[in-house]
Amino acid sequence: MAEDGEEKLLAAVQHIVKTLGRTDTMTEDILKVFSNYDGRLSLDKLYATRAAAAVAAVAAAGGGAGEHSVPASPPMLPPPAVPSAAAAMPAVTSLERTVRTLDRQISQFVTMDRLIWADSVDSDAFLEAVDDLIGTVQELDAAGTNRGLLDRADELLSRCMARLEDEFRALIERPDDVAPVAPGGFASDESEEEDYDADDGYGDEPIPIAKPVSDFDVVIDALPPGSVSDVHQIARRMVDAGFGRECAEAYAAARRGFIDESVARLGIRSRTVDEVHSLPWEELEFDIARWIPAFKMVFRILIPSERRLCDRVFDGLAPYGDLAFVAAVRTQALQLISFGDAVSAASRAPERLFRVIDMYEAVRDLLPDLDPVFSDPYSAALRAEVSAVCSTLGSSIKGIFMELENLIRRDPARVSVPGGGIHPITRYVMNYLRAACGSRQTLEEVMEGDLGAVGGASIAVDPDRPTSSLAVHIAWIMDVLHKNLETKSKIYRDPPLASIFLMNNGKYIIHKVNDSELGILLGDEWMKQMMSRVRRWSLDYQRGAWAKVLSVLQTGGPGIGSLPAKALLQKLRMFNGYLEEICAIQSEWVIVDEQLREDVRAAITDSVKPAYTGLVSRLKSSPEAAQDLFIKHTPEDVEAQIQHLFEGVSK
């Protein structure tokens, strides 16, 4: 009875197949459905039943023809052999059945109107089907006997990869879309509410500028751990299927938006080389002030974090992680680097030195940290670009520093400084060099030619080495300044005032050198020479301004050869005139340094007061001069008038 029931069941199935199976593919699918539904309906039994039914139908058709034949007629030839149904249909291989099954399974997923990874059950099933399909394609490719089936499997694999790429990008760009949401949503941190407005920079609102970062020893986890695991699983399938480059490009496209927005939040705007060169210095200086922390942020935090994420997503899938990393960060990295190059090639006006030094130091200091980040062959070019911009900034520093010489030479000797005071070029150069010594280590590197190209330790500065390249160059600048000041001193028609001018500027230079590291760089010998010059200029002044006064005060000794009283009185009147003239003129002159002013006054007093006292004594002791003697200035009066000289006040 059981056998009869099974035969009836098989017959019913054959009837359904015959009715609905209009094509071989439909017939195959229907048989497959029944075989999965009931264990008694195995494919072998179903194919055997179909074959038997086909043979019976053919036999029945042949017997009917014999019954209706005329007996007298010659016997009919036996009917031609009719192949069995099993032989008539091409055998369906297991690989064909596998491809058809995978096609049905995968089609359900690729046509979904939601993310597959929104449901972990769906994502697991989809990945399992993809694994089976990749294995089937590899098997078909290895066999090489069924090109049509291989093309069909490849087409299905391409559909899988397209959907996987969409899922891959969605998981990276919008991880929250597939992440489980805690009841009530995520809680906001109070500090974040203070730092950011309700608008987070999307839409038409301007992107807010990030606050400065001082601690660069941090890592950004752009994706939650679960999302990293999911995208890694997708990346592994795409690489296994031969779509590794497409996966890397998809990763880069998905991450590039995040990187672009991160850089935009740092307040950096893209500028062409021409724009940089045409910007007023105030605007360019503002851009540099933003570029320095942005460069540190990008190369110390953003790019290393991106490398870390790439290494996790493409773990064990080299070289596609390296390709994805470079493609993701290259645009913004080169934008920052190109700004540095543009600044390096811009005007080398001396006032730009300090900002360019800041840029150079920012790049130089991070070079050693870039080695593990740009260690692969694909990103090595970016590492070389950073090293190159460090070198160009160093060359720019050297050029700007040398431009100071040209600025001194070009400074015209047209207008004299009132009273022989300190010339503006002296103040500018000395304050400039003094400030530059605050970056002495960097300037030593640049002048020595070690531009940080290898990112190693910078050269050590020897405090007792006044023959370093920087020291020699500064000494040369001082020599250029000295010659320029001597040229300017010739503007003064009064030679003593020219000496006052040189004294003032020389003393100012000495003060600035002693008050900074310039003294270390220039050395003791240079300092001795400079002090000797100041003393010589002081003597030149005294001789030029007071020589005729001292000459008038010469009275000769008592006895033979002594001057008559009338001549002594004439000398006194001449002295009074000279003194009043000198005091009237030189009260407008100025000696800026207080100690130098006191020293010059003391030297004049020591020369003039004793000679004047001797003249007055001779006159007082002469009976011939007593009746006409009028002492307008006592020796103390003369000293007091000398003490009022060089204050720069018009009398």
Side-chain angles (χ1 to χ4, degrees):
M1 293 292 294
E3 291 180 358
D4 291 342
E6 184 174 330
E7 289 178 359
K8 290 180 180 179
L9 178 61
L10 290 171
V13 170
Q14 292 298 338
H15 177 70
I16 294 172
V17 170
K18 182 178 180 181
T19 304
L20 301 178
R22 296 188 181 91
T23 65
D24 289 344
T25 300
M26 293 177 65
T27 299
E28 181 71 18
D29 291 343
I30 294 170
L31 291 175
K32 182 71 174 179
V33 171
F34 278 113
S35 69
N36 291 332
Y37 176 75
D38 194 318
R40 294 172 297 174
L41 303 176
S42 67
L43 286 175
D44 292 339
K45 288 183 179 180
L46 291 173
Y47 284 131
T49 303
R50 288 190 66 206
V55 170
V58 172
E67 290 176 1
H68 295 285
S69 60
V70 179
S73 61
M76 295 180 62
L77 294 172
V82 179
S84 66
M89 288 186 60
V92 178
T93 65
S94 61
L95 286 177
E96 288 178 305
R97 288 194 293 271
T98 299
V99 171
R100 291 175 182 177
T101 301
L102 290 173
D103 193 352
R104 287 193 301 272
Q105 293 176 353
I106 290 171
S107 295
Q108 296 174 2
F109 291 111
V110 298
T111 57
M112 280 185 176
D113 57 0
R114 62 169 175 82
L115 289 176
I116 299 173
W117 261 257
D119 187 328
S120 60
V121 175
D122 286 344
S123 62
D124 290 343
F126 185 45
L127 288 179
E128 183 179 355
V130 171
D131 287 338
D132 292 342
L133 179 58
I134 293 173
T136 301
V137 170
Q138 292 172 347
E139 188 175 348
L140 285 169
D141 189 48
T145 57
N146 193 337
R147 187 66 193 177
L149 186 60
L150 177 59
D151 290 342
R152 179 180 173 188
D154 279 337
E155 188 274 333
L156 180 59
L157 186 61
S158 296
R159 291 168 58 202
C160 282
M161 293 301 109
R163 183 56 191 252
L164 277 178
E165 183 177 326
D166 292 341
E167 298 283 327
F168 184 79
R169 292 187 61 164
L171 286 170
I172 295 174
E173 292 175 344
R174 305 185 304 277
D176 293 340
D177 289 358
V178 295
V181 181
F186 294 104
S188 302
D189 190 353
E190 217 172 280
S191 62
E192 291 182 358
E193 291 180 0
E194 295 176 0
D195 291 348
Y196 298 98
D197 297 331
D199 187 277
D200 60 359
Y202 293 97
D204 295 330
E205 296 297 325
I207 296 176
I209 304 302
K211 293 186 176 181
V213 174
S214 57
D215 181 12
F216 294 98
D217 189 20
V218 297
V219 176
I220 300 173
D221 280 324
L223 297 179
S227 295
V228 173
S229 177
D230 289 339
V231 294
H232 170 69
Q233 294 298 327
I234 295 175
R236 187 166 66 80
R237 268 67 176 195
M238 293 186 72
V239 171
D240 288 346
F243 287 76
R245 187 170 291 276
E246 288 81 357
C247 183
E249 291 173 355
Y251 175 91
R255 292 297 299 159
R256 202 173 290 126
F258 170 80
I259 296 172
D260 290 349
E261 182 181 344
S262 298
V263 174
R265 287 179 180 271
L266 296 174
I268 297 298
R269 56 173 295 186
S270 178
R271 290 193 185 275
T272 65
V273 174
D274 291 339
E275 286 177 335
V276 171
H277 291 177
S278 62
L279 278 178
W281 170 238
E282 292 75 15
E283 292 185 33
L284 182 57
E285 187 177 23
F286 179 79
D287 282 358
I288 293 174
R290 278 194 169 175
W291 181 90
I292 292 171
F295 190 88
K296 293 178 180 178
M297 178 73 177
V298 169
F299 281 91
R300 287 192 183 274
I301 297 179
L302 193 61
I303 289 180
S305 297
E306 200 62 36
R307 165 59 82 183
R308 180 172 178 266
L309 179 60
C310 267
D311 290 345
R312 295 169 67 194
V313 170
F314 293 92
D315 184 28
L317 304 176
Y320 299 107
D322 299 332
L323 290 171
F325 167 70
V326 173
V329 305
R330 180 177 177 81
T331 300
Q332 289 300 336
L334 288 180
Q335 177 184 327
L336 289 168
I337 291 170
S338 65
F339 180 82
D341 284 330
V343 172
S344 299
S347 168
R348 294 190 172 182
E351 67 269 13
R352 302 190 174 202
L353 174 70
F354 305 101
R355 278 302 185 186
V356 178
I357 286 177
D358 291 341
M359 294 177 70
Y360 170 84
E361 291 175 343
V363 180
R364 177 204 63 193
D365 292 346
L366 65 80
L367 275 175
D369 299 331
L370 295 184
D371 291 336
V373 179
F374 298 118
S375 58
D376 62 275
Y378 301 97
S379 60
L382 270 181
R383 168 63 170 78
E385 291 279 358
V386 179
S387 181
V389 77
C390 185
S391 295
T392 57
L393 287 168
S395 298
S396 179
I397 291 171
K398 193 172 183 179
I400 292 172
F401 201 72
M402 291 180 173
E403 180 64 20
L404 183 62
E405 296 178 22
N406 297 328
L407 182 144
I408 298 170
R409 289 192 179 96
R410 290 194 301 264
D411 190 64
R414 296 174 183 170
V415 181
S416 61
V417 178
I422 300 170
H423 197 280
I425 191 65
T426 307
R427 294 184 186 275
Y428 178 84
V429 171
M430 296 312 301
N431 287 321
Y432 186 93
L433 293 177
R434 188 169 179 268
C437 281
S439 303
R440 179 179 159 205
Q441 180 74 57
T442 298
L443 290 173
E444 286 279 5
E445 289 177 15
V446 170
M447 295 301 171
E448 293 290 346
D450 176 14
L451 302 181
V454 296
S458 54
I459 64 173
V461 176
D462 183 359
D464 300 321
R465 188 171 67 113
T467 57
S468 69
S469 296
L470 177 61
V472 170
H473 193 72
I474 288 179
W476 176 252
I477 289 177
M478 301 304 296
D479 188 58
V480 173
L481 177 61
H482 170 66
K483 292 177 180 177
N484 181 270
L485 291 173
E486 285 194 327
T487 301
K488 287 179 168 60
S489 71
K490 292 179 173 58
I491 302 175
Y492 296 99
R493 297 180 179 179
D494 196 339
L497 183 55
S499 298
I500 291 288
F501 170 78
L502 291 172
M503 259 196 299
N504 277 321
N505 286 270
K507 189 64 177 180
Y508 182 83
I509 291 171
I510 291 173
H511 172 70
K512 289 297 182 179
V513 169
N514 278 330
D515 194 33
S516 68
E517 293 189 34
L518 286 170
I520 298 174
L521 290 169
L522 292 171
D524 293 337
E525 189 61 33
W526 182 92
M527 183 63 71
K528 290 177 183 178
Q529 292 177 3
M530 195 65 201
M531 294 175 69
S532 176
R533 285 176 180 172
V534 172
R535 285 194 297 269
R536 189 183 75 244
W537 290 327
S538 177
L539 292 174
D540 289 344
Y541 159 74
Q542 293 175 46
R543 283 194 295 264
W546 295 92
K548 63 181 180 180
V549 174
L550 293 173
S551 176
V552 166
L553 294 176
Q554 297 298 322
T555 60
I560 301 174
S562 61
L563 294 175
K566 186 175 181 181
L568 293 176
L569 288 171
Q570 180 64 27
K571 282 180 174 288
L572 179 62
R573 286 191 290 270
M574 291 177 65
F575 171 80
N576 290 336
Y578 287 156
L579 180 65
E580 291 170 1
E581 178 186 356
I582 289 174
C583 290
I585 295 174
Q586 294 190 21
S587 62
E588 298 181 11
W589 296 2
V590 61
I591 296 180
V592 179
D593 183 78
E594 183 177 354
Q595 185 59 52
L596 179 61
R597 184 168 63 245
E598 293 300 325
D599 290 344
V600 172
R601 286 172 175 172
I604 297 170
T605 301
D606 291 344
S607 299
V608 174
K609 185 178 178 182
Y612 180 68
T613 302
L615 175 62
V616 171
S617 297
R618 288 284 303 276
L619 287 170
K620 286 183 178 180
S621 63
S622 172
E624 299 175 5
Q627 58 181 358
D628 296 324
L629 181 60
F630 173 69
I631 306 300
K632 187 175 183 180
H633 303 290
T634 67
E636 289 71 22
D637 292 337
V638 172
E639 181 178 2
Q641 292 193 55
I642 292 173
Q643 293 301 315
H644 286 92
L645 297 177
F646 317 124
E647 294 182 350
V649 178
S650 177
K651 297 293 185 181

